[in-house]
Amino acid sequence: MRRAFMAAVPIVSHFKCRAPNKYPGAPKTVARFPVPNDKISWDVDYSEYKPPSYTSQHVIGAPWADRDVESSDLCFKFNQVDGKVDRRSFMGSYRVVDGIARNPIGRTGICGRGLLGRWGPNHAADPIVTRWKRTASGEKILKEGKPVLQFVAIQRKDNGEWAIPGGMVDPGEDVSATLKREFGEEALSCLELSAEDQEKIKKFVYNLFEHGEKMYEGYVDDPRNTDNSWMETVAKNFHDETGDAFNRVNLRAGDDAASVSWIDVGHEMKLYASHCDFLSRVATLRKAYY
Ligand code: BGC
């Protein structure tokens, strides 16, 4: 039985979260402190390192976010399930320095929470829904001798980049519920169909979501990461081999998305955060063009 395909091998690139341009959504004055490749590791001395601290006004006091360090007694239960908030990392136990979690991969050039709600890991889930690209008569389309996969992508409203329609795991929520919920909210709409047809489609899609293959779980090279807050995700592939589940479903962008579309999978894609890495794993698993 094929299980958790390559999920245990971490993707730990650390580029987008060190990019020298300003932090997303932050005032012009907030720039990441430069972190050369050989200074990423916390174990390497970098005495000049003086990262600015930034936490977005959208995060401070938000009901979905942690309390701020200044206004709290710093009693977060890091590396544990803290009430309903899972503060464990897929990367193993991370360090807690002066009462605050420390990025397990290394320096990012900025401290505080930035745009992220949680100190420590912020857990997301990414549903990678795929089908084969076909001609009008139903033949699989080949490229360099291999069939071409397509996946459901959304265009993010925050930065215009194309991405998997993922989202944050709610406190206490099971990841499989997040995968289904986010896909429904961000990419799916069957509003124009009759109630009966809607029911049929829901069944098809829910059935598809029963049989996902885990592609990855772990740290993500996300542009929002900081020295104290970072994204982790569980990415699962839901493959519609025959195309039946989706050929009558209209994709429609939800609240967080500017648009939604089937996109051909291949090395030419430019996607948000580590999403290209996840898709390349799916292509390997399905023996598809990449
Ligand atoms: C996105 C996911 C992404 C994660 C980490 C979340 O906000 O919805 O698609 O994988 O961040 O970058």
Side-chain angles (χ1 to χ4, degrees):
M1 189 176 148
R2 216 183 314 130
R3 270 186 148 203
F5 175 77
M6 292 191 290
V9 184
I11 297 169
V12 283
S13 64
H14 200 66
F15 297 105
K16 295 190 178 177
C17 65
R18 277 188 297 148
N21 36 356
K22 79 173 183 64
Y23 185 89
K28 281 203 184 85
T29 46
V30 183
R32 288 182 186 271
F33 196 92
V35 180
N37 289 343
D38 61 348
K39 296 284 192 297
I40 294 173
S41 168
W42 295 108
D43 297 331
V44 174
D45 184 52
Y46 190 12
S47 46
E48 302 85 1
Y49 187 58
K50 299 255 167 342
S53 176
Y54 174 69
T55 299
S56 162
Q57 286 305 318
H58 297 294
V59 171
I60 297 171
W64 44 266
D66 287 338
R67 288 157 297 142
D68 209 26
V69 176
E70 288 79 29
S71 62
S72 81
D73 48 6
L74 281 184
C75 59
F76 302 111
K77 292 190 180 124
F78 290 118
N79 289 304
Q80 297 172 46
V81 180
D82 181 2
K84 282 191 167 178
V85 181
D86 191 352
R87 298 192 195 276
R88 292 170 303 176
S89 167
F90 286 115
M91 312 308 287
S93 179
Y94 51 86
R95 288 184 224 172
V96 177
V97 179
D98 298 330
I100 313 180
R102 185 175 255 189
N103 188 310
I105 307 303
R107 298 180 176 100
T108 66
I110 199 161
C111 56
R113 276 175 295 164
L115 280 170
L116 300 177
R118 304 279 173 212
W119 298 103
N122 287 251
H123 290 286
D126 282 301
I128 310 171
V129 172
T130 52
R131 71 175 182 192
W132 295 113
K133 185 176 189 178
R134 292 174 193 273
T135 61
S137 57
E139 301 297 314
K140 282 185 193 168
I141 294 179
L142 305 186
K143 213 167 170 182
E144 293 173 12
K146 287 184 166 175
V148 179
L149 274 176
Q150 295 187 311
F151 82 105
V152 175
I154 54 138
Q155 191 180 23
R156 293 176 64 104
K157 268 193 189 156
D158 55 358
N159 57 10
E161 289 186 60
W162 285 88
I164 298 161
M168 307 303 296
V169 180
D170 287 340
E173 189 179 36
D174 185 71
V175 172
S176 53
T178 316
L179 288 161
K180 232 187 273 180
R181 178 175 59 70
E182 285 295 338
F183 187 73
E185 283 175 11
E186 295 205 16
L188 213 56
S189 157
C190 17
L191 289 179
E192 303 82 28
L193 301 174
S194 70
E196 199 184 322
D197 280 352
Q198 284 190 29
E199 231 6 78
K200 266 192 212 151
I201 282 158
K202 253 195 207 149
K203 267 201 194 132
F204 262 138
V205 174
Y206 275 37
N207 194 23
L208 187 71
F209 270 73
E210 291 301 308
H211 308 286
E213 302 244 20
K214 198 183 281 177
M215 293 290 111
Y216 180 70
E217 60 184 23
Y219 183 91
V220 184
D221 185 22
D222 188 288
R224 296 165 295 182
N225 292 352
T226 72
D227 286 358
N228 311 113
S229 298
W230 62 91
M231 290 300 312
E232 299 201 4
T233 199
V234 174
K236 273 192 170 188
N237 178 216
F238 303 98
H239 181 61
D240 183 12
E241 180 62 32
T242 57
D244 286 345
F246 280 102
N247 60 9
R248 297 197 51 214
V249 180
N250 287 335
L251 298 176
R252 201 192 62 162
D255 278 356
D256 294 343
S259 33
V260 59
S261 174
W262 288 97
I263 286 192
D264 293 359
V265 174
H267 66 274
E268 311 84 355
M269 299 177 305
K270 283 206 170 59
L271 301 176
Y272 184 70
S274 309
H275 292 187
C276 282
D277 298 315
F278 306 158
L279 264 309
S280 112
R281 288 175 176 218
V282 176
T284 308
L285 170 71
R286 305 279 169 211
K287 300 190 171 49
Y289 166 80
Y290 192 79

